[in-house]
Amino acid sequence: NRSALTSPHAVPSALTMKSLWQRVSLKEASERLRIASSVKVGEGGQNSQYPPRPTFTGLVGVGGLKPESGADPSGRPRATAAVLVPLFEDGADGGVSVWLTKRSTTKVSTHRGEVSLPGGKSDNTDATPVDTAMREAKEEVGIASQDLSILGCLGPLLSKHGLVVTPVVSTVAAHCVPRPRTEEVDVVFKTPLSTFLKPENHFARLYHENDTPYTIHFFKYRDEHQQDHVIWGLTAAILIRVATIVYNKEPLFPKHISAM
């Protein structure tokens, strides 16, 4: 149920987003994210290059869910997934940006036309969330593993569909320009990371799930090709977290809407 809505603002252009904002280099952003990552590269056990699968403590619920373990209400293990947060230094913007995808409106069964980070469900060949994120990023948008520098994993989130999602944060080589490599992806575009701390392109809605209120954030953005996008839900929640770490400041909008 939708019970509250903050007023949406006009869609900002890519040029508008080059507003006065604290500049953070990719190197500085990387250092902050390495420190903040809950699991660092190399902590997956003896002779392990990548982090292990996520433990199920400290999960952050999205969509009003309050997870306490890796099991769903019936006691079955929850399915896991991972998304790549691919950051790069954008010469056009002069700051840190992130690559995002827009899912097909016809070739997928869920989340049609939605903006997302590259990623998907874990499969049996994936030993870690990093494996999942890297595999999906290559399949979806052609980012090769040698073009990535993994910084670490943020704490997993529980989606409103009950899927445990681990954000894997990385930098992407400057020469790498992701493009759709599967019919599941229609568009790849870039967005300044500072977008996810600014109020002028943000609105939020209050929902209720089993009498529990929760806030969903939305960001409107017009890319360099003048295409309009809305970035929301789990993707928005992850990017707010990443931007807060990189810029070392809280969003300039309320994180939660008060229930009326």
Side-chain angles (χ1 to χ4, degrees):
N1 293 327
R2 183 174 68 191
S3 59
L5 170 65
T6 63
S7 298
H9 298 271
V11 178
S13 67
L15 181 62
T16 302
M17 295 311 296
K18 297 178 185 178
S19 58
L20 295 176
W21 189 256
Q22 176 189 1
R23 298 299 184 191
V24 174
S25 69
L26 188 62
K27 180 179 179 181
E28 187 175 6
S30 299
E31 291 171 352
R32 291 177 178 178
L33 286 162
R34 283 194 183 99
I35 293 170
S37 295
S38 61
V39 184
K40 311 297 191 300
V41 172
E43 291 185 359
Q46 187 176 10
N47 300 322
S48 176
Q49 183 180 4
Y50 295 125
R53 290 190 179 277
T55 56
F56 297 101
T57 57
L59 285 173
V60 178
V62 175
L65 299 177
K66 294 183 177 180
E68 296 180 357
S69 72
D72 65 18
S74 68
R76 294 173 297 186
R78 295 188 188 276
T80 60
V83 294
L84 188 73
V85 185
L87 305 175
F88 66 101
E89 200 152 44
D90 189 358
D93 179 66
V96 177
S97 290
V98 60
W99 290 110
L100 295 170
T101 70
K102 187 172 184 178
R103 292 171 63 82
S104 169
T105 57
T106 60
K107 302 297 184 180
V108 294
S109 58
T110 60
H111 307 294
R112 290 182 176 179
E114 293 183 9
V115 173
S116 65
L117 292 156
K121 289 185 179 180
S122 306
D123 67 22
N124 293 333
T125 67
D126 300 328
T128 70
V130 175
D131 292 333
T132 302
M134 293 176 67
R135 174 181 55 77
E136 289 282 345
K138 184 175 182 180
E139 292 175 1
E140 291 182 354
V141 296
I143 301 178
S145 59
Q146 60 265 31
D147 290 330
L148 294 173
S149 178
I150 303 297
L151 304 176
C153 297
L154 298 182
L157 296 92
L158 184 63
S159 77
K160 66 179 181 179
H161 299 295
L163 190 68
V164 176
V165 182
T166 299
V168 178
V169 188
S170 73
T171 59
V172 183
H175 68 265
C176 179
V177 180
R179 303 191 187 284
R181 297 298 178 91
T182 171
E183 62 182 10
E184 295 181 358
V185 176
D186 276 351
V187 178
V188 180
F189 66 99
K190 61 184 180 180
T191 308
L193 188 61
S194 60
T195 299
F196 304 99
L197 296 179
K198 297 180 177 181
E200 63 261 31
N201 63 322
H202 167 269
F203 66 100
R205 288 173 175 164
L206 182 69
Y207 293 82
H208 285 80
E209 181 75 22
N210 297 325
D211 297 324
T212 300
Y214 63 96
T215 302
I216 297 294
H217 296 277
F218 299 76
F219 297 87
K220 293 183 176 183
Y221 182 70
R222 180 170 294 152
D223 67 24
E224 59 186 331
H225 302 294
Q226 302 303 302
Q227 297 296 309
D228 291 339
H229 306 282
V230 178
I231 306 155
W232 66 286
L234 186 69
T235 300
I238 292 170
L239 293 173
I240 291 170
R241 292 174 68 184
V242 173
T244 299
I245 295 167
V246 167
Y247 287 95
N248 194 29
K249 68 168 61 177
E250 291 296 313
L252 300 178
F253 50 79
K255 285 186 177 180
H256 304 285
I257 300 174
S258 298
M260 296 179 180

